[in-house]
Structures are given as structure tokens and as C-alpha cells.
Amino acid sequence: MFPVLRCRLFGTLPGFLYPVYLDLVPVEKEHRFRYAYNKSQWQSAGKAERAQFGRLFPHPDNPIGGDQLAQNGQIISFDKVKLTNNAESTSSDQLQLNSMHKYRPRVHVFCIPKGHPLITKKGQQQLFNKEMRTVEGLKRIANGPFDYKTFLFEGTTFVAVTAYQNQLVTQKKIELNPFAKGFRDQKNEDLTDERLDSLQLSI
Amino acid sequence: MFPVLRCRLFGTLPGFLYPVYLDLVPVEKEHRFRYAYNKSQWQSAGKAERAQFGRLFPHPDNPIGGDQLAQNGQIISFDKVKLTNNAESTSSDQLQLNSMHKYRPRVHVFCIPKGHPLITKKGQQQLFNKEMRTVEGLKRIANGPFDYKTFLFEGTTFVAVTAYQNQLVTQKKIELNPFAKGFRDQKNEDLTDERLDSLQLSI
DNA sequence: GTGTTGACACCTAGGTGAAAAATT
DNA sequence: AATTTTTCACCTAGGTGTCAACAC
């Protein structure tokens, strides 16, 4: 998935482990969107489809060590997450969403001491992991005695699409994504950093 | 590295962790080898070069969980190890050896309870990892109070080469390695499973 | 002469947008 | 007509043997 969602987590300590999760919350739940070419912006286009089951993407390095975070400049990168509009998909590296709907990424971070039974006891680990597959489970866990925080990043809100609705988005991706190098030419090379009216991620 | 060294470890338990290491011990230390085409076999060809520093390849999944082993049919695969004849190379995913010398793979397995300080205390972990970079360190560790065993696999003994000395080896690799598919043709396709007089791994 | 290295074509494996085709 | 899926060429990234060139 490009662009990649990255964030930095400050205040971490070497003696602690940080299980980290990503999910995508539907915003403007009542709306389905369409792109108005004449206005160059997203507009509501009727009633939203039923929201998909709230799944969580566990960071592949979970639980991330405080020392590891320090080594990597505190950066947590979600370059491994994949998006799909297939509700039947069960792969744990995928997040499900509806095309033409608006979503906001959300990052959940736990802070667990290294000696905690959640780390050392297998049964508790498994129970925790099972709950953390869905937002519902997260809510139950969050009621427990865990150091825990959720971060919302407003600026990363996007509308999911199956085909790009805006040529500026296409050009930006061609310009910046190494895998799209084959589509680069002079026309796109000096694309100014103009403000895009919306972000889109192809699913 | 192809073919890949794989082994199965039986008698593991879910509550334990198994740090696993690979090294290559020089056999027939006093000999350097050459391949005699007329006899189709390896023969001694004078005095060996000074042995390289004894390095250990830590399995990428270390410490491997007993549950993980059970999931994978007890199989430990060393598909990530690389061989080099460059003594200056310091990468931890490489094992150093001399070309035209004979080596025997050796697998070292530790068995550590999940609650053991070696698992839970960072300082002890680091000390252990540092020692386990070399065979000398391994010997010191092996004198300590650790459940530990070394396995030698006679049948996997090989002579390191920079260029294949035996066309049967080349054909076998072309036949079986997916990355060598481009070299397959009818000539090689029905290569019988004849007994190869020696194994070779290109470095 | 023998052994080693580097450039190369050819693969695996998978991430891109373009464009055609299929679906709704 | 709008949206989604499929196929494709084109990349990144890296594992193969071949062969020419090099080193000893």
C-alpha cells in the first residue's frame, strides 16, 4: 500500500513492549461519495453501504520492543498492511473497506512491562491476540488494567477507490512510488507540490 | 543457498524456546581438494589453508518457540544462510569458508524455559547473543547450566566450490531449483536419480 | 593451468498504473 | 453510465547458471 502510513512514538522505554494495531474507521458514516470533476472535489452521493466488520491489523513486529523503537528513530511503519473490498477475505494482513467511502486511520498502542504475564504466559497471550482481531475485542481489552492509547491522524483521511478519480493523485504516485517508475516521463517529473484536494488509495 | 539444509527437531514442548544455530566444521582439516575428472571423485590436493574464524549463523526465527515448531511439522529450515569465501565479510547472515575445502554442517539447539532470565532479562540476552557469534563463545556457554545439544549430519558433508566441478551437480540444481528454471530443457528433464559421487555448493 | 570474479540473461515473486473487459 | 475486475507491460528485488575476463 502506497503511500505508507508511518508514525513516531515518543516516550517509550527499553524495558517495555508495545503491541501496536491499525484500523480504519469510517467517517461520515451516512455518506457514499463520488468525485465531481467540475468541482474537483469529493461530494456525498447518497446513503452509505453497511459498514464492514471492524478488523484490526496487528503490526508484523508485535510486540514492538522499546529498544527496537529507539533504534529505528521511534518510527512505526505500516508498509505491510493491505486493503481489500472483499468482505470474504480473512487474511490477517488485510483490512476490509468499502470503495467510495471515507476512512480515517487509527493506531492503537499498548505498553506492557517485559515481565508481565501477558508477555510470559502463553494462555494470556493467545487470549489477548484473539480479542485484538476486532474492534469489539479491543473495547473489552481496553476496559482492563492495560496502559493503552489510541491515536487518530486527521490528515491521513482518505476515500477508498478501485480506480483513480483525480489525475493529480496518479501523477503523485507515479512520481514517488519506486514500483511505478515505468510510468515516469518528463510530463510528470517536475510536478509541483500543489495541495491535493483529496487523498485516494487504490484498493 | 540451494539445496537448503533442513532438519526436524522432535520432543519439543510449547512452554520452551529453542535458540538454534548453524555452523560448518572443516573436515579432513589437513587437506585441500581437487576434483579428478577421470576418477569422478574428489581427491586430496595438498595442504589446507588456515581455517577461517569459526562463526555461527543464528536462525532468523531465534528463539524458535516449541509451539511454532509443532505448527511447522518440527522443521527447522536454513534457507536464509549465505556462504562466502570473503574473510572480511562481517554480515551475520553469512558463513565464511575456504573454496575447495570440505565442510560438515552442524546444528546447535538450546532449550530454554519461557520464564528463564535468559528470555526475560535483556542484559543476559545480549550477553548470550554476543557469545553465540563464534564457536569459542559457544564452548564457553556450553559449559554453563544450559540444556543444549549439537547435531552433526554426516550425509550433508560438501566441498565448497566457486565453479561446479561435476556436471551432474549442475544438472540436479537446474532440475530442482525454481530460480534456475531458465536453464531447463529436455536434456535435463528426465535426469535419473543416480547417485552423485559428491555434493557441491557454489559459494 | 587452475581458480575466481563480474556482467549477463533468465527466472521467481510481487508492487505499479493503463487499458480492456466484465459487471451492475 | 459508473464501477469493478482482469490482463498486461513495466518496474523493484533478488536467486540461478553461463561465459568471458581476470588473477595467481
Side-chain angles (χ1 to χ4, degrees):
Chain A
M1 191 184 78
F2 188 90
V4 172
L5 181 70
R6 291 196 199 88
C7 55
R8 295 173 103 156
L9 185 62
F10 294 103
T12 60
L13 296 168
F16 291 79
L17 296 171
Y18 300 86
V20 174
Y21 299 83
L22 170 68
D23 71 343
L24 304 173
V25 295
V27 294
E28 319 217 29
K29 286 193 176 67
E30 59 276 20
H31 296 100
R32 185 176 182 284
F33 289 83
R34 69 182 178 81
Y35 192 79
Y37 291 94
N38 55 336
K39 296 190 180 179
S40 285
Q41 64 180 18
W42 287 98
Q43 294 186 327
S44 177
K47 207 174 63 174
E49 298 162 46
R50 153 182 84 69
Q52 309 248 13
F53 196 61
R55 288 184 150 276
L56 293 171
F57 171 81
H59 194 286
D61 298 345
N62 273 354
I64 308 181
D67 41 2
Q68 182 189 341
L69 278 168
Q71 273 174 18
N72 301 335
Q74 312 299 130
I75 292 175
I76 298 168
S77 176
F78 289 97
D79 52 343
K80 291 290 186 280
V81 67
K82 299 183 182 187
L83 307 181
T84 182
N85 59 352
N86 181 353
E88 271 66 43
S89 182
T90 55
S91 171
S92 74
D93 67 346
Q94 289 183 335
L95 288 177
Q96 299 167 358
L97 35 65
N98 287 321
S99 183
M100 312 308 274
H101 289 64
K102 197 178 282 191
Y103 294 92
R104 180 134 54 221
R106 191 165 62 166
V107 176
H108 310 276
V109 180
F110 287 82
C111 175
I112 315 283
K114 279 189 178 171
H116 193 281
L118 199 62
I119 303 298
T120 58
K121 307 233 173 183
K122 188 190 166 193
Q124 296 209 23
Q125 262 180 58
Q126 284 182 336
L127 201 66
F128 184 83
N129 290 341
K130 191 175 177 183
E131 283 291 67
M132 290 305 293
R133 288 205 288 246
T134 66
V135 176
E136 281 74 11
L138 168 65
K139 283 178 186 162
R140 287 189 288 270
I141 292 281
N143 284 331
F146 296 108
D147 280 342
Y148 153 80
K149 185 157 186 175
T150 292
F151 302 91
L152 264 172
F153 300 98
E154 307 285 337
T156 64
T157 305
F158 64 93
V159 176
V161 297
T162 55
Y164 296 133
Q165 308 292 316
N166 182 333
Q167 186 57 28
L168 291 178
V169 172
T170 310
Q171 288 180 25
K172 265 295 177 201
K173 294 193 71 172
I174 288 175
E175 178 190 352
L176 296 172
N177 191 330
F179 292 104
K181 200 176 187 176
F183 298 100
R184 290 185 195 158
D185 59 19
Q186 278 136 330
K187 166 163 69 75
N188 294 329
E189 258 168 28
D190 285 323
L191 185 62
T192 58
D193 197 10
E194 52 194 308
R195 186 159 177 194
L196 302 179
D197 65 339
S198 61
L199 297 174
Q200 303 178 37
L201 296 179
S202 168
I203 59 178
Chain B
M1 192 183 78
F2 188 90
V4 172
L5 181 72
R6 291 196 200 86
C7 55
R8 294 174 103 155
L9 185 63
F10 294 103
T12 60
L13 295 168
F16 292 78
L17 296 172
Y18 300 87
V20 174
Y21 299 83
L22 170 68
D23 70 344
L24 305 173
V25 295
V27 294
E28 319 218 28
K29 286 193 178 68
E30 60 275 20
H31 296 100
R32 186 175 182 284
F33 288 84
R34 69 183 179 80
Y35 192 78
Y37 291 94
N38 54 336
K39 296 191 179 178
S40 286
Q41 65 181 20
W42 288 98
Q43 294 185 326
S44 176
K47 207 175 62 176
E49 298 162 46
R50 155 178 82 69
Q52 308 247 14
F53 196 61
R55 286 184 152 277
L56 293 170
F57 171 80
H59 194 286
D61 298 346
N62 274 353
I64 308 180
D67 41 1
Q68 181 188 342
L69 278 167
Q71 274 174 17
N72 301 335
Q74 312 299 131
I75 292 175
I76 299 169
S77 176
F78 289 96
D79 52 343
K80 291 291 184 283
V81 68
K82 299 183 182 186
L83 308 181
T84 181
N85 60 352
N86 182 353
E88 271 66 44
S89 181
T90 55
S91 170
S92 74
D93 68 345
Q94 288 183 336
L95 288 178
Q96 300 167 358
L97 35 65
N98 287 320
S99 182
M100 311 309 273
H101 289 63
K102 198 178 281 191
Y103 293 91
R104 181 134 53 221
R106 193 164 61 166
V107 176
H108 310 275
V109 181
F110 287 81
C111 175
I112 316 283
K114 279 189 180 173
H116 192 282
L118 199 62
I119 303 298
T120 57
K121 307 233 174 184
K122 189 189 167 193
Q124 296 209 22
Q125 262 180 58
Q126 286 182 335
L127 201 65
F128 184 82
N129 290 340
K130 192 174 177 184
E131 283 290 68
M132 291 305 293
R133 288 206 287 246
T134 65
V135 176
E136 282 74 11
L138 168 65
K139 283 178 187 163
R140 287 188 288 271
I141 292 282
N143 285 330
F146 297 107
D147 281 342
Y148 153 79
K149 186 157 186 175
T150 293
F151 301 92
L152 264 172
F153 300 99
E154 308 285 338
T156 63
T157 305
F158 65 93
V159 176
V161 296
T162 55
Y164 296 132
Q165 308 293 315
N166 181 333
Q167 186 56 28
L168 290 177
V169 172
T170 310
Q171 288 181 23
K172 265 296 176 201
K173 293 193 71 173
I174 288 175
E175 179 189 352
L176 296 172
N177 191 329
F179 292 104
K181 202 177 187 176
F183 299 99
R184 289 183 197 159
D185 57 21
Q186 278 136 333
K187 167 162 67 76
N188 295 329
E189 257 168 28
D190 285 324
L191 184 62
T192 58
D193 199 8
E194 52 194 308
R195 186 159 176 192
L196 302 179
D197 65 339
S198 62
L199 297 174
Q200 303 177 38
L201 295 179
S202 168
I203 58 179

